[in-house]
Amino acid sequence: LPAAYDELRGLLREAATLRSLGTLAAWDQETMMPPRAGAFRAEELALVSRLAHERFTHPRVGELLAACESDAGLLADSAESANLRGIRRDYERATRLPPGLVSEISRTSSLALEVWRQARGMSDFPSFRPWLDRLVALNRDKASCLGVPEGGELYDALLEDFEPGMTAARLEAVFAPLRRELAPLIAKAATSREPESVSVPVELQREFNLHVAKQVGFEFEAGRLDVSTHPFTEGLGPGDTRITTRYREDGFTDALSSTLHEVGHALYEQGLPKQERLGQPLGEPASLGLHESQSRLWENQVGRSRAFWTWALGEARRVCGEAVRSLTVEQIHRDVNVVRPGLIRIEADETTYNLHVMFRFDIERRMLRGDLPVAEVPSAWNARMAADLGLAVPDDRRGCLQDIHWAAGAIGYFPTYTLGNLYAAQLWETLTAEIGDLEAQLERGEFSGLVAWLRRNIHAHGRRHTAEELCRSLTGRPLDPQALISYLSRKHA
Amino acid sequence: LPAAYDELRGLLREAATLRSLGTLAAWDQETMMPPRAGAFRAEELALVSRLAHERFTHPRVGELLAACESDAGLLADSAESANLRGIRRDYERATRLPPGLVSEISRTSSLALEVWRQARGMSDFPSFRPWLDRLVALNRDKASCLGVPEGGELYDALLEDFEPGMTAARLEAVFAPLRRELAPLIAKAATSREPESVSVPVELQREFNLHVAKQVGFEFEAGRLDVSTHPFTEGLGPGDTRITTRYREDGFTDALSSTLHEVGHALYEQGLPKQERLGQPLGEPASLGLHESQSRLWENQVGRSRAFWTWALGEARRVCGEAVRSLTVEQIHRDVNVVRPGLIRIEADETTYNLHVMFRFDIERRMLRGDLPVAEVPSAWNARMAADLGLAVPDDRRGCLQDIHWAAGAIGYFPTYTLGNLYAAQLWETLTAEIGDLEAQLERGEFSGLVAWLRRNIHAHGRRHTAEELCRSLTGRPLDPQALISYLSRKHA
């Protein structure tokens, strides 16, 4: 490989190493950091992100990249030429943004987050409104700098940060039939019945969750499982992927769902070729949507199946003893698959969840276009909650102020949640056909066949392909809502 | 304040912020990091230390510093002019070292550490010998680059890293009478009696140590107490000081000693004006010796006193209940003050500890001078163990291979341990006289008077003065071994 490529990869690795220190600092902030360290932690995070950006956008990176792009040997290697295309794309996007705009967005969103926290607590949308106005305007500037693809719209430029290759028009085409089909399905399956509740001491749940995570394939030699208010996964670098979950005495199956979700993310992180490819597209996840497909697949397709619980309940009895004695596979299976429309996205069931996501996509797209004045967001939100989920929103705290994303300056993030569900269902169809007796394997607590399939077909490729390209090459067809619709229809039949 | 000073402080703060990310990474490595992350963690640490060094030695720092040094207003302010002198000293030292030498020392010592771990395990000094040879040679080069003060020796240039303002000749003058007086004192007090042993469940010890640390004044809002193999303190930045300790069921008083030692270090870190002075001399500890005086003072002068245990045993009974029921203040006081010569420095009692340190200083000073060939280190070590502590060294594992310092490339570090004991004893004489009824306060578990004295007289000054200047201004005399000798003599009378 040419010397220019060596040097280029070295610079990218340094930028990624700086970012990884930021990831460690962010993980520590959520799990370990004492309260009074918050102000300085913000300083540390801002510094590493600035230094990483400076390194990545340095003109030397551009020179080296150009040299590599004219190297016939590299271009003939399909992996390396895909890697170079990815670097070019990232470099163009990073250098198109004026540093002043980047820091203005960062400064505004960190202030807006504080205002949002207050506003949410008091259900006071008007106090947050000017901040959201400003963030939408800044996102519009950002999208203009990044450049709108031909025939596309501003939203596409933002979406590209989260879901490379995806467009708003394509999302609309995929979401429309999903939304149409979900309505009667939910109407039929919805219930207001509360699931059975057992009380399991947190210490026993912890042991059970650690055991399941290990059995599923999370490598504890290369990771940790801790507790935090909101469960998350952070890939800190080669050999270091950390997940968190949360326990409540009366939330036995909820905790396991969270753990399986994060384990799914973590398997992706642990399966990326980071040691060799740190800082390069081929060492990074393909998209947030594909990442979410990995978490959803374990949380839903595996974790809400009868087969999985046939094994898992036995393990739970062994670890938690008396506390779970009254549970049966039938009952758990029924409870974890309940459809119950609610106001809060993060508490939503697998089926109604997508409605929450799709109307957020519509609202943020219209905000960005300027079709929906920010002042009208609450009424638009409440109208969609009524139309899509049949619920009246009592206050903005449980309405348009519930999510952190907009306050953090992220527009274009929401749709990746439903993309995750769509990809998970579509990949599941293919992999169950290819593996053959997966259900029997799950009943025996054998996960290695499934993990190996995901490693080989998805994780190992990094960002060599877009999520939809990978989906097409694995399943034989582009992203198609029918897989998720069929999966949910069968479930609620 | 002039704009140049603002910019200078900004650059120093950035360098310190990078170092603080390294400190977080180092803390995490000892307490949280999964095993397979080790290789990448080394990459992260090397990168931040290189970037921090690059920032600090940037010519812009030199320009700004020169501008500030010709600013009459700054020079007229005694705090800011002391700060500028400290920055000048650090800048000169940092820029005198060729980057090639810095990275060669870092590379060699990281390899030497691995060889040393192996060699220690097998008591195989010959395999470590060439590495120690190389490290001594590199330290000689380093000392030459840094420059030997007039009338001084190479060792002084290295010592300056750990104990600004101190010299080998001065150490020799202070250590000689200490060594002379300790010999008869130890001969008289030495015993081979084992202390009484109780078994206290680790969970109860943990609760007790957390309670004592809090009562003493460690601010948990701005810190943490965790467990690690070797206890340590890390100041991660403003509002974030983390300590560790270790528990054994049969090590009830040992664990508390460790905790008090680290709390002493932590109070210094928490008392430095880091928020305003991060990266500046006035925000940093004055020296390792003074730092160690803060830990030793709490571990020894407080933690081995009858007054302290009068309070602490009551608390232990409340927290640990039955497990400590058989202990009495008399018996603990006797046991924690036992003098028992042993082979291992880190297990040594308060009195014999200094002999371990002083002969290490003699040996490393002679190695650096070239008076003692590295091949003869084991025999020199063993001769001093026999002469000073009356013990035969059975193998190098328990002899000259026991400590990590030389393998890590640190020559000039050891004497700071005994400097800590000396400063602690001398400061203790002054502060007990000034506070008045400190003993009665300790008996009641009141530590705020002592903490306030240390904060005001030591912690708040950072590195405004050298340790010995501060000692002189507080106690009215220069460093003087008589205080430690009297303290130990009274104890063993």
Side-chain angles (χ1 to χ4, degrees), chain B residues 212-268:
Chain B
V212 172
K214 186 159 187 292
Q215 287 305 112
V216 161
F218 179 75
E219 295 177 72
F220 280 93
E221 288 287 296
R224 299 178 50 91
L225 168 57
D226 294 281
V227 165
S228 67
T229 316
H230 298 287
F232 66 87
T233 298
E234 293 277 20
L236 280 78
D240 199 352
T241 299
R242 305 189 186 183
I243 60 180
T244 67
T245 190
R246 59 178 162 194
Y247 304 107
R248 283 192 340 268
E249 283 227 341
D250 64 346
F252 172 71
T253 58
D254 287 350
L256 191 67
S257 272
S258 278
T259 300
L260 285 172
H261 181 99
E262 304 306 333
V263 163
H265 280 306
L267 289 173
Y268 194 4

Coordinates of all heavy atoms in Angstrom, one line a residue, chain B residues 212-268:
Chain B
V212 N -15.9 7.3 57.1 CA -14.7 8.0 57.7 C -14.2 9.0 56.7 O -13.9 10.2 57.0 CB -13.6 7.0 58.1 CG1 -12.3 7.8 58.5 CG2 -14.0 6.1 59.3
A213 N -14.1 8.6 55.4 CA -13.6 9.5 54.4 C -14.5 10.8 54.3 O -14.0 11.9 54.2 CB -13.6 8.9 53.0
K214 N -15.8 10.6 54.4 CA -16.8 11.7 54.4 C -16.6 12.6 55.6 O -16.6 13.8 55.5 CB -18.2 11.1 54.3 CG -19.3 12.1 54.1 CD -20.5 11.4 53.6 CE -21.6 12.4 53.2 NZ -22.2 13.1 54.4
Q215 N -16.5 11.9 56.8 CA -16.4 12.7 58.0 C -15.1 13.5 58.0 O -15.1 14.7 58.5 CB -16.3 11.8 59.2 CG -17.7 11.2 59.6 CD -18.7 12.2 59.8 OE1 -19.7 12.3 58.9 NE2 -18.6 13.0 60.8
V216 N -14.0 12.9 57.5 CA -12.7 13.6 57.5 C -12.8 14.9 56.6 O -12.2 15.9 56.8 CB -11.6 12.7 57.0 CG1 -10.4 13.4 56.5 CG2 -11.2 11.7 58.2
G217 N -13.6 14.8 55.5 CA -13.8 16.0 54.7 C -13.6 15.7 53.2 O -13.6 16.7 52.4
F218 N -13.5 14.5 52.8 CA -13.4 14.2 51.4 C -14.8 14.5 50.8 O -15.8 14.0 51.3 CB -13.1 12.7 51.1 CG -13.0 12.3 49.7 CD1 -12.0 12.7 48.8 CD2 -14.1 11.6 49.1 CE1 -12.0 12.4 47.5 CE2 -14.0 11.2 47.7 CZ -13.0 11.6 46.9
E219 N -14.8 15.3 49.7 CA -16.1 15.8 49.2 C -16.6 14.8 48.1 O -16.1 14.8 47.0 CB -16.0 17.2 48.6 CG -15.7 18.2 49.7 CD -15.5 19.6 49.0 OE1 -16.5 20.2 48.6 OE2 -14.3 20.1 49.0
F220 N -17.6 14.0 48.4 CA -18.1 13.0 47.5 C -18.8 13.6 46.3 O -19.0 13.0 45.3 CB -18.9 11.9 48.2 CG -18.1 10.9 48.9 CD1 -17.7 11.0 50.2 CD2 -17.6 9.8 48.2 CE1 -16.9 10.1 50.8 CE2 -16.8 8.8 48.8 CZ -16.4 9.0 50.1
E221 N -19.3 14.9 46.5 CA -19.9 15.6 45.4 C -18.9 15.9 44.3 O -19.2 16.2 43.2 CB -20.5 16.9 45.9 CG -21.7 16.8 46.8 CD -22.9 16.4 45.9 OE1 -23.3 17.2 45.1 OE2 -23.5 15.3 46.1
A222 N -17.6 15.9 44.7 CA -16.5 16.2 43.8 C -15.5 15.1 43.7 O -14.3 15.3 43.5 CB -15.9 17.5 44.2
G223 N -16.0 13.8 43.9 CA -15.0 12.7 43.9 C -15.7 11.4 44.1 O -16.9 11.3 44.3
R224 N -14.9 10.3 44.0 CA -15.3 9.0 44.2 C -14.3 8.2 45.0 O -13.1 8.5 45.1 CB -15.4 8.2 42.9 CG -16.4 8.8 41.9 CD -16.3 8.0 40.6 NE -16.5 6.6 40.8 CZ -17.6 5.9 40.9 NH1 -18.7 6.6 40.6 NH2 -17.7 4.6 41.1
L225 N -14.8 7.1 45.7 CA -13.9 6.2 46.3 C -14.2 4.8 45.8 O -15.3 4.3 45.9 CB -14.1 6.2 47.8 CG -13.4 5.1 48.7 CD1 -11.9 5.0 48.5 CD2 -13.7 5.3 50.2
D226 N -13.2 4.2 45.1 CA -13.4 2.9 44.5 C -12.3 1.9 45.0 O -11.6 2.3 45.9 CB -13.3 3.0 43.0 CG -14.5 3.8 42.4 OD1 -15.6 3.2 42.2 OD2 -14.3 4.9 42.0
V227 N -12.3 0.8 44.4 CA -11.3 -0.3 44.8 C -10.3 -0.5 43.7 O -10.7 -0.5 42.5 CB -12.1 -1.6 45.2 CG1 -11.1 -2.7 45.3 CG2 -12.9 -1.4 46.5
S228 N -9.0 -0.7 44.0 CA -8.1 -1.1 43.0 C -7.0 -1.9 43.7 O -6.9 -1.9 45.0 CB -7.4 0.1 42.3 OG -6.6 0.8 43.2
T229 N -6.2 -2.7 42.9 CA -5.1 -3.5 43.5 C -4.2 -2.7 44.3 O -3.8 -3.0 45.5 CB -4.4 -4.2 42.4 OG1 -5.3 -4.7 41.4 CG2 -3.5 -5.4 42.9
H230 N -3.7 -1.6 43.8 CA -2.8 -0.6 44.5 C -3.6 0.7 44.7 O -3.9 1.3 43.7 CB -1.5 -0.4 43.8 CG -0.7 -1.6 43.6 ND1 -0.1 -2.3 44.7 CD2 -0.5 -2.4 42.5 CE1 0.5 -3.3 44.2 NE2 0.3 -3.5 42.9
P231 N -3.9 1.1 45.9 CA -4.6 2.3 46.1 C -3.9 3.5 45.5 O -2.7 3.6 45.5 CB -4.6 2.4 47.7 CG -4.5 1.0 48.2 CD -3.6 0.4 47.2
F232 N -4.7 4.4 45.0 CA -4.1 5.7 44.4 C -5.1 6.8 44.4 O -6.3 6.6 44.7 CB -3.6 5.4 43.0 CG -4.7 5.1 42.0 CD1 -5.4 6.1 41.3 CD2 -5.1 3.8 41.8 CE1 -6.4 5.8 40.4 CE2 -6.1 3.5 40.9 CZ -6.8 4.5 40.2
T233 N -4.6 8.0 44.2 CA -5.4 9.2 44.0 C -5.2 9.8 42.7 O -4.0 9.9 42.2 CB -5.1 10.2 45.1 OG1 -5.3 9.7 46.4 CG2 -5.9 11.5 44.9
E234 N -6.2 10.2 42.0 CA -6.1 10.9 40.7 C -6.9 12.2 40.8 O -8.1 12.1 41.0 CB -6.5 10.1 39.5 CG -5.7 8.9 39.2 CD -4.4 9.2 38.4 OE1 -3.9 10.4 38.3 OE2 -3.9 8.2 37.8
G235 N -6.3 13.3 40.5 CA -7.0 14.6 40.4 C -7.4 14.7 38.9 O -6.5 14.9 38.1
L236 N -8.7 14.5 38.5 CA -9.1 14.5 37.1 C -9.4 15.9 36.6 O -9.6 16.1 35.4 CB -10.3 13.6 36.9 CG -10.0 12.1 36.8 CD1 -9.8 11.5 38.2 CD2 -11.1 11.4 36.1
G237 N -9.4 16.9 37.5 CA -9.7 18.3 37.1 C -10.6 18.9 38.2 O -10.9 18.3 39.2
P238 N -11.1 20.1 37.9 CA -11.9 20.8 38.9 C -13.2 20.0 39.2 O -13.9 19.5 38.3 CB -12.4 22.1 38.1 CG -11.4 22.3 37.0 CD -10.9 20.9 36.7
G239 N -13.4 19.8 40.5 CA -14.6 19.1 40.9 C -14.5 17.6 40.7 O -15.6 16.9 40.7
D240 N -13.4 17.0 40.5 CA -13.3 15.6 40.2 C -12.0 15.0 40.7 O -11.0 15.0 40.0 CB -13.5 15.3 38.7 CG -13.9 13.9 38.4 OD1 -13.9 13.0 39.3 OD2 -14.2 13.6 37.2
T241 N -12.0 14.5 41.9 CA -10.8 13.8 42.5 C -11.2 12.4 42.9 O -12.1 12.3 43.7 CB -10.3 14.6 43.7 OG1 -10.0 16.0 43.3 CG2 -9.1 14.0 44.4
R242 N -10.5 11.4 42.4 CA -10.9 10.1 42.7 C -9.9 9.3 43.5 O -8.7 9.3 43.1 CB -11.3 9.4 41.4 CG -12.3 10.2 40.6 CD -12.8 9.5 39.4 NE -13.7 10.3 38.6 CZ -14.3 10.0 37.5 NH1 -14.2 8.7 37.1 NH2 -15.1 10.8 36.9
I243 N -10.3 8.6 44.5 CA -9.3 7.8 45.2 C -9.8 6.3 45.2 O -10.9 6.0 44.9 CB -9.2 8.3 46.7 CG1 -10.6 8.2 47.4 CG2 -8.7 9.7 46.8 CD1 -10.5 8.7 48.9
T244 N -8.8 5.4 45.5 CA -9.1 4.0 45.6 C -8.5 3.5 46.9 O -7.6 4.1 47.4 CB -8.6 3.2 44.4 OG1 -7.2 3.2 44.5 CG2 -9.1 3.7 43.1
T245 N -9.0 2.4 47.4 CA -8.4 1.7 48.5 C -8.6 0.2 48.2 O -9.0 -0.2 47.1 CB -9.1 2.2 49.8 OG1 -8.3 1.7 50.9 CG2 -10.5 1.7 49.9
R246 N -8.2 -0.6 49.2 CA -8.4 -2.0 49.0 C -8.8 -2.7 50.4 O -8.3 -2.2 51.4 CB -7.1 -2.7 48.5 CG -5.9 -2.5 49.3 CD -4.7 -3.2 48.8 NE -3.5 -2.7 49.4 CZ -2.3 -2.9 48.9 NH1 -2.1 -3.6 47.9 NH2 -1.2 -2.4 49.6
Y247 N -9.6 -3.7 50.3 CA -10.1 -4.4 51.5 C -9.7 -5.8 51.5 O -9.7 -6.5 50.5 CB -11.6 -4.3 51.5 CG -12.2 -2.9 51.4 CD1 -12.8 -2.4 50.2 CD2 -12.1 -2.0 52.5 CE1 -13.3 -1.1 50.2 CE2 -12.5 -0.7 52.4 CZ -13.1 -0.3 51.3 OH -13.6 1.0 51.2
R248 N -9.3 -6.3 52.7 CA -9.2 -7.7 53.0 C -10.0 -8.0 54.2 O -9.9 -7.2 55.2 CB -7.7 -8.1 53.2 CG -6.8 -8.2 52.0 CD -5.5 -8.9 52.4 NE -5.2 -8.9 53.9 CZ -4.5 -8.0 54.5 NH1 -3.9 -7.0 53.8 NH2 -4.3 -8.0 55.8
E249 N -10.6 -9.2 54.3 CA -11.4 -9.4 55.5 C -10.6 -9.3 56.8 O -11.1 -8.8 57.8 CB -12.0 -10.9 55.4 CG -13.2 -11.0 54.5 CD -14.3 -11.8 55.1 OE1 -14.1 -12.5 56.1 OE2 -15.4 -11.7 54.6
D250 N -9.3 -9.7 56.7 CA -8.5 -9.7 57.9 C -7.6 -8.4 57.9 O -6.6 -8.4 58.6 CB -7.6 -10.9 58.0 CG -6.7 -11.1 56.9 OD1 -6.8 -10.3 55.9 OD2 -5.7 -11.9 57.0
G251 N -8.0 -7.4 57.1 CA -7.1 -6.2 57.0 C -7.9 -5.0 57.4 O -7.8 -3.9 56.7
F252 N -8.6 -5.0 58.5 CA -9.5 -3.9 58.9 C -8.8 -2.6 59.0 O -9.1 -1.5 58.5 CB -10.2 -4.3 60.2 CG -11.1 -3.2 60.8 CD1 -12.2 -2.7 60.2 CD2 -10.6 -2.6 62.0 CE1 -13.0 -1.7 60.7 CE2 -11.4 -1.5 62.5 CZ -12.5 -1.1 61.9
T253 N -7.7 -2.6 59.8 CA -6.9 -1.3 60.0 C -6.1 -0.9 58.8 O -5.9 0.2 58.5 CB -6.1 -1.3 61.3 OG1 -5.1 -2.4 61.2 CG2 -6.9 -1.5 62.6
D254 N -5.6 -1.9 58.1 CA -4.8 -1.6 56.9 C -5.7 -0.9 55.8 O -5.2 0.1 55.2 CB -4.4 -2.9 56.2 CG -3.2 -3.6 57.0 OD1 -2.7 -3.0 57.9 OD2 -2.9 -4.7 56.6
A255 N -6.9 -1.3 55.7 CA -7.8 -0.7 54.7 C -8.0 0.8 55.1 O -7.9 1.7 54.3 CB -9.1 -1.4 54.6
L256 N -8.3 1.0 56.4 CA -8.5 2.4 56.8 C -7.2 3.2 56.7 O -7.3 4.4 56.3 CB -9.0 2.4 58.3 CG -9.5 3.9 58.6 CD1 -10.8 4.2 57.8 CD2 -9.7 4.0 60.1
S257 N -6.1 2.6 56.9 CA -4.8 3.4 56.7 C -4.7 3.8 55.2 O -4.4 5.0 54.9 CB -3.6 2.5 57.0 OG -3.3 2.6 58.4
S258 N -5.0 2.9 54.3 CA -4.9 3.2 52.9 C -5.9 4.3 52.6 O -5.6 5.3 51.9 CB -5.3 2.0 52.1 OG -4.3 1.1 51.9
T259 N -7.1 4.2 53.1 CA -8.1 5.2 52.8 C -7.7 6.6 53.3 O -7.8 7.6 52.6 CB -9.5 4.8 53.4 OG1 -9.9 3.5 52.8 CG2 -10.6 5.8 53.1
L260 N -7.2 6.6 54.6 CA -6.8 7.9 55.1 C -5.6 8.5 54.3 O -5.6 9.7 54.1 CB -6.4 7.7 56.6 CG -7.5 7.6 57.6 CD1 -7.0 7.2 59.0 CD2 -8.4 8.8 57.7
H261 N -4.7 7.6 53.9 CA -3.6 8.1 53.1 C -4.1 8.8 51.8 O -3.7 9.9 51.5 CB -2.7 6.9 52.8 CG -1.5 7.2 51.9 ND1 -0.2 7.4 52.5 CD2 -1.3 7.4 50.6 CE1 0.6 7.7 51.5 NE2 0.0 7.7 50.4
E262 N -5.0 8.1 51.1 CA -5.5 8.6 49.9 C -6.4 9.8 50.1 O -6.4 10.8 49.3 CB -6.2 7.6 49.0 CG -5.4 6.3 48.8 CD -4.0 6.6 48.1 OE1 -3.9 7.6 47.4 OE2 -3.1 5.7 48.3
V263 N -7.2 9.8 51.2 CA -8.0 11.0 51.5 C -7.1 12.2 51.7 O -7.4 13.3 51.3 CB -8.9 10.7 52.7 CG1 -9.4 12.0 53.3 CG2 -10.0 9.8 52.4
G264 N -5.9 12.0 52.3 CA -5.0 13.1 52.5 C -4.5 13.7 51.2 O -4.5 14.9 51.0
H265 N -4.2 12.8 50.3 CA -3.8 13.3 48.9 C -5.0 14.0 48.3 O -4.8 15.1 47.7 CB -3.5 12.1 48.0 CG -2.1 11.5 48.2 ND1 -0.9 12.3 48.1 CD2 -1.6 10.3 48.4 CE1 0.2 11.6 48.3 NE2 -0.2 10.3 48.4
A266 N -6.2 13.4 48.5 CA -7.4 14.0 47.8 C -7.8 15.4 48.4 O -8.2 16.2 47.6 CB -8.5 13.0 48.0
L267 N -7.6 15.5 49.7 CA -7.9 16.9 50.2 C -7.0 17.9 49.6 O -7.4 19.1 49.4 CB -7.7 16.8 51.8 CG -8.8 16.0 52.5 CD1 -8.4 15.9 54.0 CD2 -10.2 16.7 52.4
Y268 N -5.7 17.6 49.4 CA -4.8 18.5 48.7 C -5.4 18.8 47.3 O -5.5 20.0 46.9 CB -3.4 17.9 48.6 CG -2.3 18.8 48.2 CD1 -2.5 20.2 48.1 CD2 -1.0 18.4 48.1 CE1 -1.4 21.1 47.7 CE2 0.1 19.2 47.8 CZ -0.2 20.6 47.6 OH 0.9 21.4 47.2

